[in-house]
Amino acid sequence: MRVLLVDLDPQGNASTGLGVPADARDHTTYDLLVESADLSDVIRQTDIDDLCIIPATVDLSSADIELMSNEKRSFLLHDALRQPAMDEYEWDYILIDCPPSLNLLTVNAMVAAHSVLIPLQSEFFALEGLSQLMLTLREVRQAANPKLRIEGIVLTMYDRRNNLSQQVEQDARDNLGDLVFRTKIPRNVRVSEAPSYAMPVLNYDSGSLGAKAYRQLASEIIENNQEVAAE
Ligand SMILES: Nc1ncnc2c1ncn2[C@@H]1O[C@H](COP(=O)(O)OP(=O)(O)OP(=O)(O)O)[C@@H](O)[C@H]1O
Ligand SMILES: [Mg+2]
């Protein structure tokens, strides 16, 4: 698959994790949103075939305030990613890595996207954060993107020996049913280590339980999307 990863998190973890050092991020998501930079300037190839990234730096954290007076402030990413110049890249998937809070950047992502993929840590407060996210989703649907789907909710940091993990899973499946992916991502040290080697876990340790789980998640997502396309 040809994939573009848009780093929309001022922390820039996706950029660092894919080997784009902070001092090499000359053209970023900030430039795309605020300065209307050209796609060809902001999209860069990673070390991995068919995976490109638009990197982010901390300057993105001020975009929220700078864009407040912009009438199109919620549609900037939507418009940027739908420029005609985008067609020639022939992406199969565009993934947008969101910041941890619900702000104007997150709204831009939800307005631009076809669907939302929600990682849910198997911890006590996780489901509380989810209800706020669901409210925001509903608002974005009403105001700007009626077709926005929930791609699915993926349980992460799962520890099957831990009662709490099992309880969070049970609650999630009882309340959210089919929205919860069958695949669970186990807590796995290789997943934590991979970013410090600036590699996805699939390359860092392809046989690890974490890599296997993420590969299985990818299959599940692709399978679901074939069903969506057939409807
Ligand atoms: N060691 C691990 N084993 C399994 N899954 C992990 C591990 N570390 C992180 N994850 C999961 O991978 C995803 C990405 O983790 P990451 O550490 O980048 O945090 P994040 O949720 O993106 O945080 P932030 O919002 O600060 O960017 C999360 O869903 C997390 O639960
Ligand atoms: Mg993150």
Side-chain angles (χ1 to χ4, degrees), residues 9 11 13 97-98:
D9 184 347
Q11 297 175 106
N13 296 152
D97 186 28
C98 288

Side-chain angles (χ1 to χ4, degrees), residues 10-23:
Q11 297 175 106
N13 296 152
S15 309
T16 313
L18 279 172
V20 188
D23 58 10

Side-chain angles (χ1 to χ4, degrees), residues 26-28 31 37-44 53-55 89:
D26 298 330
H27 303 282
T28 63
D31 301 316
D38 279 347
L39 288 170
S40 59
D41 286 331
V42 293
I43 295 175
R44 58 189 283 167
I53 186 167
I54 305 180
Y89 291 95

